[in-house]
Amino acid sequence: MHLNGWFFLSLLLTCFLFATLGLVAAMVVSSHEGMSRFSTFVILPMTFLCGTFFRVEKYPDVIAYFVQILPLTHSAVSLRAIALNTGFPLVSMLVLAAYAVALFALGLWVTYRVE
């Protein structure tokens, strides 16, 4: 396993974007039941569909296209590729960075709106 700066950058981006996603969800959702629904309809499907347990290439085209949009897919691709030294996934890193910036901006906006 090859752990280098790119691996830790990818890990940091992943942690940051999911932390900001949690912040946005916490600021928008008004109850524990709502947060449970968010977890059920957003986090749980992403966990099983994004290549963490099953290969994305085996999905039908429509589902594979949808899964390629989700951030956890790019996180799994980048972390796996860097750790196994199979190449640097620049596209996945850019997608993770874009999600991180977008969710951070959304988190700031939601936080200022709630105050």
Side-chain angles (χ1 to χ4, degrees):
M1 185 182 311
H2 301 276
L3 301 180
N4 56 27
W6 294 116
F7 181 84
F8 290 108
L9 177 64
S10 179
L11 188 62
L12 178 74
L13 281 172
T14 300
C15 292
F16 182 75
L17 78 90
F18 279 103
T20 55
L21 178 63
L23 172 79
V24 170
M27 298 303 271
V28 172
V29 174
S30 61
S31 68
H32 291 289
E33 295 163 354
M35 190 56 92
S36 176
R37 279 189 217 107
F38 172 79
S39 181
T40 299
F41 292 115
V42 176
I43 302 297
L44 187 66
M46 207 180 327
T47 302
F48 286 102
L49 292 176
C50 291
T52 51
F53 299 113
F54 309 107
R55 295 176 54 107
V56 177
E57 296 84 23
K58 300 292 183 180
Y59 294 143
D61 291 338
V62 173
I63 295 173
Y65 177 75
F66 172 72
V67 168
Q68 290 297 330
I69 297 170
L70 300 173
L72 189 57
T73 301
H74 294 282
S75 177
V77 166
S78 65
L79 289 170
R80 191 174 293 124
I82 295 167
L84 298 175
N85 201 24
T86 58
F88 181 72
L90 181 61
V91 172
S92 290
M93 293 294 279
L94 291 174
V95 169
L96 287 175
Y99 266 110
V101 168
L103 286 171
F104 181 72
L106 182 61
L108 279 176
W109 181 76
V110 169
T111 302
Y112 286 132
R113 191 186 66 140
V114 169
E115 286 185 340

